Amino acid sequence: MMKEEKEGLVNVAGDEGGVCAPQGFAASGVIAGIKVSGNPDMALIVNQGPEKTAAAVFTTNRVQAAPVTVSKKHIADGKLSAVVLNSGNANACNGQPGIADALEVCQKVADGLGVDVTEIGACSTGLIGDRLPMDIVLAGVPKLIEKLGADAAAGTAAAEAILTTDLVAKQAVAHGDGFTVGAMGKGVGMISPSMATMLGVITTDASVSAEMAHEAIAKASEVTFNRLDIDGSTSTNDTVIILANGASGVKPSQEELDQAVLSVCDSIARQMQSDAEGVTKRVSVTVRGTGGAEDALVAARIIGRDNLFKCAMFGSDPNWGRVLAAVGTAPVDMDPEHITVSFNGHVVCRDTGGTPDAREVDLSGKDIAVEVDLGTGNPEEATIRTTDLSHDYVHINSAYSS
Amino acid sequence: MMKEEKEGLVNVAGDEGGVCAPQGFAASGVIAGIKVSGNPDMALIVNQGPEKTAAAVFTTNRVQAAPVTVSKKHIADGKLSAVVLNSGNANACNGQPGIADALEVCQKVADGLGVDVTEIGACSTGLIGDRLPMDIVLAGVPKLIEKLGADAAAGTAAAEAILTTDLVAKQAVAHGDGFTVGAMGKGVGMISPSMATMLGVITTDASVSAEMAHEAIAKASEVTFNRLDIDGSTSTNDTVIILANGASGVKPSQEELDQAVLSVCDSIARQMQSDAEGVTKRVSVTVRGTGGAEDALVAARIIGRDNLFKCAMFGSDPNWGRVLAAVGTAPVDMDPEHITVSFNGHVVCRDTGGTPDAREVDLSGKDIAVEVDLGTGNPEEATIRTTDLSHDYVHINSAYSS
């Protein structure tokens, strides 16, 4: 029932195979046996060249998982041949043995592909604090290599193998002028993901430098993944890697690359919002009328993280007082006597007071757009995407490790 | 059933009548008719002198309710004769008309008591954005005055009339050397209360200056109400007022006053934690081993506000990875490789890795003490009190205004 509910929300863009849509990439996903559920739990993305350009953005959490440490080191030279991913175990907080485990997985992949271990990136997602079941994981690697394919089904298999509490695979494709960008992702956020770590792999057959690739992924993440704020938490494992091989022979400008990368990141972020844990509402919060776009982002995040506001959204309750109570705590410029709030375009609060029919606004639909003007007259604005706080969120997150 | 569940948690200290325990105070609580439930909804606390000393701490929210604005003005000279409180309506976000309403209520009380309007403080709690039903509220004032009494039952009637989603009245009494301090409170926090605004009135028959009273209440609030963090939200209406009348003839030192005031504030804060919306667990989070006590407080708040951590507590799940993921985002000194976490005295994580029996720790009891050492060696620590995030929290807060 929840599954059906969710499918109505999700934009499944998998018919082109996500990471396999650009030329020169192969992917696979297999059931290695890490997950007790028996669902797919390992994935591999291989860049078949000719170029092996790579860049990434990683979690800002000070506690970083072993695969993050390893991937940062391996990507430092701007080159990767492949990324190996597993779900069902985060390989986080396992100290030096955890790092040795991650390296051993990379080595096994490198041996299988005939490349150096430093050309392999690694991503993990799942429970923190348990060692990887190495016999299972290492036995999964030859299966991954054997199953590699370059068609849409192969891309989709990889996208499915990285899911944890996600209900649907998330893929996106953007077509530039002579080049293609593909993507897969899982989880619900970057700066502020839910328990489900955010992992993303973006592929392109454009010919670009590692610096260009990094600039594109950093800029796109800032306005997509980093503005998806489901519960204010930040994973130890968040990673988004971009691989570029130049197979199209096209050298796009930074702007062209940025646009295509932004497009797939935006799609993946929307799909994450729709599939967030326990979500019944997609909520966007836009703030303007403060000190500028930075202030607006701070204020929008404070509203979007407020549990009382999120519960009201779950209840389809146009309780604008919760918006004011939340935004009043934001350390930003505002005119506290002249705040305006609207829900889905209906002004429910003007000059910090309710409008006559404010309580009648119908919020029963799945999308709720909240707009807040803090009254300074500054038109610069920022938007974050969030969700409601539902019974299912509590249910899913109250018995994860046990 | 929930009610029974909660009573096991709550320390009801009402047998001495809270605010009526010190000499020279009268109180009352009545059903004015603001609440559709028909529960008591107005209270009055009168200081019968000889001294009329008063001090207060108010919400830090930039959006402040009308009674906060009015009370700040009336208490500016360090004197109040009475405080009138209502539940069922916050009188917040109603602009100048809301302030005029609050003043009119104060005037009616002042007329009834034969004092100046500037000697009356006002507190409101309930839904934001609806005007006070003035005919009902004004008609309630003579009833309050008629019912004034100085016994324990009168104090309890007042404490019951200020509740919103609270399940039980909250009172406390402390006996100093020749003087007494009484208190009543409602809600769940000060800097970070839940939807239920925190209101508190403290009375004492000690003879103290307004400056001493303010210092005592400010210091006590800082380590009690301000460290009770249920959901990170901050009300527009939070107010704690202390009234002192010198009726005991005793002039305590600042330290003696501080100790008695801290004692009642600590008791009220504990009672609030136990009665927090939807609570099934009382959770304390203590952090040490960072840059100092300030850093420790910042880190403890970040853990205590983390929804994933709070859901794990609801599920009695010793998922220490959630603690590490949360604290890793704290902008404080830490040694990310040497973090220690314990649940109820059992070390579940040492050097940022799980201990062998970490998943076996039994957290099925109602109290969970979480201790985190961030590894710098600095012994300074801070503790916040929070709760779990339960189905009932979502239920209570998803349909409040409708």
Side-chain angles (χ1 to χ4, degrees):
Chain A
M1 193 185 62
M2 192 60 199
K3 175 80 176 162
E4 283 168 32
E5 177 78 19
K6 299 294 284 285
E7 284 178 348
L9 286 175
V10 174
N11 164 29
V12 180
D15 54 335
E16 291 182 90
V19 292
C20 285
Q23 301 171 56
F25 288 94
S28 58
V30 303
I31 300 168
I34 305 168
K35 290 178 178 167
V36 289
S37 65
N39 286 329
D41 48 20
M42 287 188 77
L44 182 64
I45 313 295
V46 177
N47 180 353
Q48 300 173 314
E51 298 163 13
K52 302 288 181 75
T53 306
V57 288
F58 295 99
T59 181
T60 57
N61 199 306
R62 308 265 287 282
V63 177
Q64 301 201 334
V68 170
T69 304
V70 169
S71 291
K72 278 184 173 178
K73 196 172 159 196
H74 290 181
I75 211 166
D77 64 354
K79 292 203 182 306
L80 286 182
S81 288
V83 180
V84 59
L85 309 94
N86 77 272
S87 53
N89 184 310
N91 190 13
C93 301
N94 290 321
Q96 284 302 322
I99 291 174
D101 289 346
L103 273 173
E104 195 175 345
V105 178
C106 289
Q107 186 66 59
K108 182 93 176 176
V109 174
D111 292 347
L113 297 176
V115 300
D116 193 83
V117 66
T118 62
E119 294 177 47
I120 311 298
C123 301
S124 298
T125 175
L127 187 62
I128 292 175
D130 284 347
R131 292 281 297 277
L132 281 178
M134 288 302 287
D135 48 345
I136 291 172
V137 175
L138 292 176
V141 172
K143 293 188 210 170
L144 283 170
I145 293 171
E146 186 193 324
K147 291 255 185 179
L148 281 170
D151 57 358
T156 299
E160 286 172 348
I162 61 173
L163 306 182
T164 52
T165 55
D166 304 60
L167 298 178
V168 296
K170 297 164 189 70
Q171 301 182 76
V173 176
H175 297 282
D177 188 6
F179 70 100
T180 299
V181 176
M184 69 177 193
K186 60 81 55 180
V188 250
M190 177 69 200
I191 283 293
S192 304
S194 181
M195 123 196 139
T197 291
M198 189 217 154
L199 299 182
V201 178
I202 295 162
T203 54
T204 180
D205 50 19
S207 175
V208 298
S209 68
E211 291 70 27
M212 281 182 72
H214 186 266
E215 183 172 333
I217 188 62
K219 286 196 296 199
S221 292
E222 175 56 32
V223 294
T224 58
F225 307 129
N226 289 1
R227 295 197 183 177
L228 179 62
D229 200 320
I230 304 305
D231 58 11
S233 305
T234 304
S235 164
T236 52
N237 290 56
D238 296 324
T239 302
V240 182
I241 293 178
I242 180 168
L243 306 172
N245 62 15
S248 69
V250 173
K251 292 179 189 287
S253 67
Q254 182 75 51
E255 194 178 331
E256 289 172 309
L257 179 68
D258 287 352
Q259 194 174 348
V261 170
L262 175 62
S263 169
V264 296
C265 290
D266 192 60
S267 173
I268 296 286
R270 273 182 202 278
Q271 292 175 56
M272 287 173 168
Q273 180 191 31
S274 295
D275 198 21
E277 289 165 349
V279 67
T280 75
K281 303 281 188 183
R282 289 181 293 214
V283 180
S284 70
V285 179
T286 301
V287 174
R288 64 180 72 85
T290 175
E294 283 288 311
D295 274 7
L297 185 58
V298 168
R301 266 193 215 286
I302 285 173
I303 298 167
R305 286 181 185 180
D306 188 85
N307 280 352
L308 296 171
F309 166 73
K310 288 161 78 89
C311 284
M313 296 298 95
F314 173 55
S316 302
D317 180 359
N319 190 347
W320 55 269
R322 300 251 175 107
V323 176
L324 288 197
V327 82
T329 68
V332 302
D333 282 353
M334 68 179 76
D335 178 348
E337 305 297 314
H338 296 95
I339 299 173
T340 306
V341 178
S342 72
F343 289 142
N344 287 343
H346 302 276
V347 176
V348 289
C349 166
R350 183 175 283 122
D351 292 337
T352 317
T355 57
D357 57 351
R359 307 266 183 236
E360 313 306 320
V361 174
D362 179 11
L363 300 183
S364 62
K366 283 182 177 158
D367 287 284
I368 301 177
V370 181
E371 293 186 71
V372 181
D373 189 319
L374 294 176
T376 67
N378 186 324
E380 287 183 48
E381 66 180 37
T383 299
I384 65 107
R385 288 171 178 153
T386 186
T387 60
D388 54 347
L389 176 56
S390 69
H391 289 294
D392 280 338
Y393 177 90
V394 174
H395 180 71
I396 293 166
N397 287 301
S398 59
Y400 183 53
S401 81
S402 44
Chain B
M1 191 184 63
M2 191 60 199
K3 173 79 176 164
E4 282 166 34
E5 177 77 21
K6 298 295 282 288
E7 283 176 348
L9 285 175
V10 174
N11 164 30
V12 180
D15 54 335
E16 292 181 89
V19 291
C20 286
Q23 302 171 55
F25 288 94
S28 58
V30 302
I31 300 166
I34 304 167
K35 290 178 179 167
V36 289
S37 65
N39 287 329
D41 48 19
M42 286 188 76
L44 182 63
I45 314 295
V46 177
N47 180 351
Q48 299 173 316
E51 299 164 10
K52 301 290 181 74
T53 306
V57 289
F58 296 100
T59 180
T60 57
N61 200 305
R62 308 266 288 280
V63 177
Q64 302 200 333
V68 170
T69 304
V70 168
S71 292
K72 278 185 173 176
K73 198 172 156 196
H74 289 181
I75 211 166
D77 64 355
K79 294 203 180 307
L80 285 182
S81 289
V83 181
V84 59
L85 309 94
N86 76 272
S87 53
N89 184 310
N91 190 14
C93 301
N94 289 322
Q96 284 302 321
I99 291 173
D101 290 346
L103 273 173
E104 196 175 344
V105 177
C106 290
Q107 186 66 58
K108 182 93 177 177
V109 174
D111 292 349
L113 297 176
V115 300
D116 193 82
V117 67
T118 60
E119 295 176 46
I120 311 298
C123 300
S124 299
T125 176
L127 187 62
I128 292 175
D130 284 347
R131 291 283 297 277
L132 281 178
M134 288 301 286
D135 48 346
I136 291 171
V137 175
L138 292 176
V141 173
K143 292 187 210 170
L144 283 171
I145 293 173
E146 188 193 322
K147 291 252 187 182
L148 280 170
D151 56 358
T156 300
E160 286 173 348
I162 61 174
L163 306 181
T164 52
T165 55
D166 304 60
L167 298 178
V168 295
K170 297 163 189 71
Q171 301 181 77
V173 176
H175 297 283
D177 187 7
F179 70 99
T180 300
V181 176
M184 69 177 193
K186 62 79 58 178
V188 251
M190 177 70 199
I191 284 294
S192 306
S194 180
M195 122 195 138
T197 290
M198 189 217 154
L199 299 182
V201 178
I202 295 161
T203 54
T204 180
D205 49 21
S207 175
V208 298
S209 67
E211 292 69 28
M212 281 180 71
H214 186 267
E215 185 173 332
I217 188 63
K219 284 196 297 200
S221 293
E222 176 55 31
V223 294
T224 58
F225 306 130
N226 289 3
R227 295 194 183 179
L228 179 61
D229 200 320
I230 306 304
D231 58 12
S233 304
T234 303
S235 164
T236 52
N237 291 55
D238 296 325
T239 302
V240 182
I241 294 178
I242 180 168
L243 306 173
N245 63 15
S248 69
V250 172
K251 291 179 191 285
S253 68
Q254 182 75 52
E255 195 179 329
E256 288 172 308
L257 180 67
D258 287 353
Q259 194 175 348
V261 170
L262 175 61
S263 169
V264 296
C265 290
D266 192 59
S267 172
I268 296 286
R270 274 183 202 279
Q271 293 176 54
M272 287 172 167
Q273 180 191 30
S274 295
D275 199 21
E277 290 164 348
V279 66
T280 76
K281 303 280 189 185
R282 291 181 293 213
V283 180
S284 69
V285 180
T286 301
V287 175
R288 65 181 70 88
T290 173
E294 283 288 310
D295 274 9
L297 185 59
V298 167
R301 266 194 214 288
I302 284 173
I303 298 166
R305 285 181 185 178
D306 188 86
N307 281 353
L308 297 171
F309 167 72
K310 288 160 77 88
C311 284
M313 295 300 96
F314 174 56
S316 302
D317 181 0
N319 190 345
W320 55 269
R322 299 253 174 106
V323 176
L324 289 196
V327 83
T329 69
V332 302
D333 282 353
M334 68 179 77
D335 177 348
E337 305 298 314
H338 296 96
I339 298 173
T340 306
V341 179
S342 72
F343 290 141
N344 287 343
H346 302 276
V347 175
V348 289
C349 166
R350 183 175 285 122
D351 292 337
T352 316
T355 56
D357 57 351
R359 307 267 183 236
E360 312 307 320
V361 175
D362 179 11
L363 300 183
S364 62
K366 283 181 176 159
D367 287 283
I368 302 177
V370 181
E371 293 187 72
V372 182
D373 188 319
L374 293 177
T376 67
N378 186 324
E380 287 184 48
E381 64 180 37
T383 300
I384 65 108
R385 290 172 177 152
T386 187
T387 60
D388 54 346
L389 177 55
S390 69
H391 288 296
D392 280 338
Y393 177 91
V394 174
H395 179 71
I396 293 167
N397 286 301
S398 60
Y400 182 55
S401 82
S402 46

